[in-house]
Amino acid sequence: VQLQASGGGLVQPGGSLRLSCAASGNIFSINTMGWYRQAPGKQRSSVTTITKDGSTTYDGSVKGRFTISRDNAKNTVYLQMNSLEPEDTAVYYCNADVWLRGGRWYELYWGQGTLVTVSS
């Protein structure tokens, strides 16, 4: 299974970006998908998650500014980021709980990360 994240870049404060993460491979089902971020000198932390039926969670620092969504038919999760702040600068990673075809349980997979830089 591969998770390919894209959409990062440089944006000014107050701007917007949309990240995408597509899962591919021998996939039977995907349960929870999520976005994490790691700022320079800090530990990786959860930003937002979404279950297969659309239930979401958000870290308090992004609530009201970020929106997670997913397309189950495409095995893809999105992160719409609005009103970006310099404090949002980080490498953003996606992950997914994947049940492989022929597998017996869900396993967690990570994408490679995409850099988001918020600066004027």
Side-chain angles (χ1 to χ4, degrees):
V1 174
Q2 288 190 328
L3 272 65
Q4 183 67 45
S6 61
L10 173 64
V11 63
Q12 292 186 341
S16 298
L17 279 177
R18 188 187 192 218
L19 307 183
S20 300
C21 176
S24 61
N26 195 29
I27 297 170
F28 173 70
S29 177
I30 299 179
N31 192 6
T32 301
M33 304 183 82
W35 290 96
Y36 285 65
R37 66 185 179 186
Q38 186 167 15
K42 295 187 177 180
Q43 291 187 332
R44 190 178 301 186
S45 62
S46 177
V47 176
T48 177
T49 64
I50 185 168
T51 63
K52 186 164 53 176
D53 64 3
S55 297
T56 59
T57 67
Y58 292 94
D59 181 77
S61 65
V62 306
K63 193 171 292 186
R65 300 188 297 122
F66 291 9
T67 302
I68 190 171
S69 60
R70 64 189 282 175
D71 184 333
N72 291 331
K74 296 182 179 179
N75 290 333
T76 300
V77 63
Y78 306 95
L79 181 62
Q80 178 66 43
M81 304 185 293
N82 299 329
S83 302
L84 282 162
E85 304 168 352
E87 293 74 22
D88 296 317
T89 295
V91 177
Y92 284 72
Y93 299 89
C94 58
N95 70 5
D97 286 319
V98 179
W99 191 305
L100 301 178
R101 295 185 188 279
R104 299 177 62 184
W105 53 76
Y106 287 100
E107 298 178 57
L108 185 65
Y109 290 86
W110 288 88
Q112 84 284 6
T114 184
L115 177 62
V116 173
T117 303
V118 184
S119 175
S120 55

